[in-house]
Amino acid sequence: MKQTHSIKIHQQLVNLDRPYIMAVLNVTPDSFYEGSRVTPAGIEQRVAQVISEGADWIDVGGYSSRPGADDISPKTEKERLMPALDMLASEYPQYPVSVDTFRADVANWAIENYNVAIINDISGGHLDPEILEVAGQHGVPYIGMHMRGTPQNMQQQTHYDDILRELTLYFAQMSERASSAGISDLIIDPGFGFAKTIDDNYLLLQRLRELLVLNKPILVGMSRKSMVYKMLNIRPEDSLHGTIALHTMALQNGASIIRVHDVSPAYQMAAVVNKTQKQYD
């Protein structure tokens, strides 16, 4: 039987009793997948598209976390985020928006000025521990990801004796820290592609169900990542079919939320998986 969870978004209880789709909105000039980059002029069109295609949430990111990406200042990160958050707050004030940041200051600014509903932190609170307090004080769900180091050096830190054992311990400790910070709704993200080899990623996907012991919703982000395109020796632009296969397996193995670039194909896939699970579980 599939685990189901509930989280509170904008003071409303949301039951994750079906796969939820988080659409990527990258307002960065250097994200790994060129097709995901959105200029200020293209934000409104991109938002309207992903909402019409069935996205449940939009995740706005102003800091590229691809391996070796340039570090930027909090000021630059806010400047990149502002056009998207302005538009969303104005045109879609009730739509659940997540901000992809590891900085407490940026998270607090986004919640206080734009009523952002979710904080998505690639570092799980390790790069800026105060971000946990921000999420707790504002009562928003917190997505904590597994990563070692920083985006600049994480791919030099890929040795694991037992990756699933290490991630289980990591998230158990994160759960304690989140609870101490007042976070009621913790979502865990195994961090596919972050401080992991291609083989690590596939082992993690195969054994993803082991993380259900933590009794937390699992979010996965594998869309067009190197575990697809490098393994197949293709470009990110050509990796949609492989991405859909990965997300199908992730949902079958216990994930509740998928973070995607391509909403319409993901929506169709998720509906088929959900129908199968509800019909025969």
Side-chain angles (χ1 to χ4, degrees), residues 3 164 167-168 171 188-190 204 207-216 218:
Q3 276 189 7
L164 265 296
L167 262 67
T168 302
F171 286 122
I188 62 174
D189 178 351
L204 180 55
R207 296 174 58 189
L208 187 67
R209 188 167 289 275
E210 294 178 32
L211 295 180
L212 294 176
V213 70
L214 297 157
N215 197 31
K216 301 294 181 187
I218 299 172

Side-chain angles (χ1 to χ4, degrees), residues 24-265:
V24 176
L25 180 62
N26 281 329
V27 287
T28 57
D30 57 343
S31 297
F32 79 92
Y33 171 42
E34 186 175 352
S36 73
R37 303 171 195 167
V38 180
T39 64
I43 289 170
E44 191 166 358
Q45 179 181 352
R46 169 66 176 168
V47 168
Q49 176 190 1
V50 299
I51 291 177
S52 70
E53 290 179 352
D56 296 290
W57 307 331
I58 291 178
D59 189 42
V60 187
Y63 185 108
S64 177
S65 55
R66 65 174 173 80
D70 291 336
D71 191 21
I72 61 170
S73 69
K75 180 175 181 291
T76 299
E77 186 177 358
K78 289 178 184 178
E79 288 171 349
R80 290 179 178 178
L81 291 169
M82 198 175 299
L85 296 180
D86 277 335
M87 195 283 296
L88 284 160
S90 172
E91 301 295 325
Y92 303 92
Q94 299 305 313
Y95 193 84
V97 175
S98 165
V99 164
D100 183 356
T101 186
F102 57 82
R103 291 169 165 149
D105 174 59
V106 175
N108 190 65
W109 165 83
I111 296 169
E112 291 191 343
N113 289 280
Y114 298 102
N115 196 29
V116 163
I118 304 167
I119 295 303
N120 182 15
D121 176 9
I122 61 168
S123 81
H126 287 282
L127 293 180
D128 188 348
E130 291 183 5
I131 196 170
L132 296 168
E133 306 292 336
V134 169
Q137 289 167 7
H138 288 285
V140 301
Y142 174 81
I143 302 169
M145 195 186 79
H146 174 270
M147 179 179 70
R148 288 173 168 174
T150 69
Q152 290 73 41
N153 62 29
M154 62 184 176
Q155 289 310 109
Q156 284 75 57
Q157 303 185 49
T158 58
H159 173 75
Y160 300 90
D161 292 325
D162 184 333
I163 190 169
L164 265 296
R165 182 176 181 276
E166 181 163 326
L167 262 67
T168 302
L169 178 60
Y170 174 92
F171 286 122
Q173 293 170 342
M174 179 189 292
S175 183
E176 292 180 5
R177 292 163 53 227
S179 180
S180 297
I183 294 172
S184 299
D185 296 311
L186 172 65
I187 298 167
I188 62 174
D189 178 351
F192 287 94
F194 288 79
K196 297 170 186 72
T197 66
I198 290 176
D199 286 345
D200 289 335
N201 289 319
Y202 280 96
L203 177 62
L204 180 55
L205 176 60
Q206 181 189 39
R207 296 174 58 189
L208 187 67
R209 188 167 289 275
E210 294 178 32
L211 295 180
L212 294 176
V213 70
L214 297 157
N215 197 31
K216 301 294 181 187
I218 299 172
L219 177 149
V220 298
M222 300 181 285
S223 183
R224 297 183 181 269
K225 285 188 174 177
S226 61
M227 65 183 290
V228 184
Y229 69 81
K230 286 187 178 179
M231 192 269 287
L232 296 173
N233 194 28
I234 58 177
R235 303 175 305 157
E237 290 77 7
D238 302 320
S239 62
L240 176 59
H241 300 305
T243 292
I244 293 297
L246 293 180
H247 284 150
T248 302
M249 289 183 280
L251 293 178
Q252 291 173 329
N253 288 347
S256 297
I257 306 157
I258 51 175
R259 182 179 181 273
V260 308
H261 296 103
D262 310 278
V263 174
S264 183

